């Protein structure tokens, strides 16, 4: 069974930086699109950044120029570098991936357990 394991959250002051990592574990054939989403208390889960299997990236307007998404396909790892953090970046950050278990099966969508990011003013 494929799982996504996140790490790197924490408490940081405004203007600081954090680095979030997501590793896919288990047996699978390939991973296509991956992304980071965040959910603040009382809010829906919103897209932060995505990375397609073809290498394209996309960012929410609120994080452009501050956050950077990258991935190492050989290590099944995705990283989100968070710079110039603001209090409004606070939330639980979730890793998402579209995984194909075998060459003959369809992709399915999986989520990590989430990692808390708290930015103090």
């Amino acid at each position: 069974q494929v799982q996504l394991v996140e790490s790197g959250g924490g408490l940081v002051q405004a203007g600081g930086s954090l680095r979030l990592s997501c590793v896919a574990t288990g047996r699978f054939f390939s991973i296509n699109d991956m992304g980071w989403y965040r959910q603040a208390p009382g809010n829906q889960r919103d897209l932060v950044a995505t990375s397609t299997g073809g290498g394209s990236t996309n960012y929410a307007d609120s994080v452009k120029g501050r956050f950077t998404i990258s991935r190492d396909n050989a290590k099944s790892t995705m990283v989100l570098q968070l710079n110039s953090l603001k209090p409004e970046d606070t939330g639980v950050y979730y890793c998402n991936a579209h995984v194909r278990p075998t060459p003959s099966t369809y992709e399915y969508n999986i989520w990590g357990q989430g990692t808390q990011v708290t930015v103090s003013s």
Side-chain angles (χ1 to χ4, degrees):
Q1 184 175 357
V2 184
Q3 291 184 321
L4 299 177
V5 181
E6 299 133 332
S7 61
L11 173 64
V12 64
Q13 289 188 333
S17 297
L18 284 172
R19 185 175 183 270
L20 307 184
S21 296
C22 173
V23 179
T25 64
R27 295 174 64 88
F28 53 90
F29 173 69
S30 66
I31 297 178
N32 195 359
D33 297 352
M34 299 185 76
W36 289 95
Y37 293 73
R38 70 185 176 197
Q39 187 167 20
N43 290 357
Q44 64 183 17
R45 191 174 298 186
D46 293 325
L47 180 148
V48 174
T50 60
S51 173
T52 70
S56 300
T57 58
N58 182 53
Y59 296 91
D61 288 342
S62 61
V63 307
K64 283 180 180 177
R66 300 188 298 120
F67 292 7
T68 303
I69 189 171
S70 60
R71 58 193 286 181
D72 183 338
N73 292 325
K75 297 181 179 179
S76 303
T77 300
M78 177 177 62
V79 170
L80 185 68
Q81 179 67 39
L82 296 72
N83 296 330
S84 302
L85 281 161
K86 304 176 181 180
E88 51 263 43
D89 294 319
T90 294
V92 179
Y93 284 67
Y94 295 92
C95 173
N96 174 266
H98 294 191
V99 178
R100 186 184 300 274
T102 71
S104 60
T105 55
Y106 291 105
E107 289 182 358
Y108 66 91
N109 195 28
I110 60 172
W111 294 89
Q113 80 285 356
T115 185
Q116 177 70 45
V117 171
T118 303
V119 184
S120 63
S121 57

